[in-house]
Amino acid sequence: MAEQDENSEKGGGGKLLAGLIIGGAIASVLGLKFAPKKTKKILKKKAKQMLEKIENKIHELEENEE
């Protein structure tokens, strides 16, 4: 009986985490879909800047390995 209680408690945390991740993803998609055009433009610009930073960092790391 005690083993069943322990197993159900362990599974509950994983389900909660999965629910939070899925809920966050759904909320992000809906937020982006219904965002005003100005906000979408700002987000697109920031995403492009972030992608450039990531690419630059990868390039720097590759140069440092050589």
Side-chain angles (χ1 to χ4, degrees):
M1 180 98 178
E3 291 177 19
Q4 286 180 333
D5 291 338
E6 289 177 16
N7 290 336
S8 64
E9 289 177 12
K10 290 179 185 176
K15 290 179 182 178
L16 177 64
L17 182 61
L20 289 172
I21 292 171
I22 293 170
I26 292 170
S28 297
V29 170
L30 289 175
L32 187 59
K33 180 169 176 63
F34 295 114
K37 288 184 181 182
K38 183 177 181 181
T39 303
K40 288 181 184 180
K41 190 180 280 187
I42 292 169
L43 289 174
K44 192 178 220 182
K45 183 179 176 183
K46 288 189 177 195
K48 187 175 181 180
Q49 290 173 348
M50 185 60 65
L51 182 60
E52 289 173 1
K53 286 181 182 180
I54 291 170
E55 289 174 344
N56 289 337
K57 192 65 171 177
I58 290 171
H59 185 66
E60 286 177 19
L61 291 172
E62 287 175 347
E63 286 180 353
N64 289 340
E65 286 182 359
E66 294 173 357

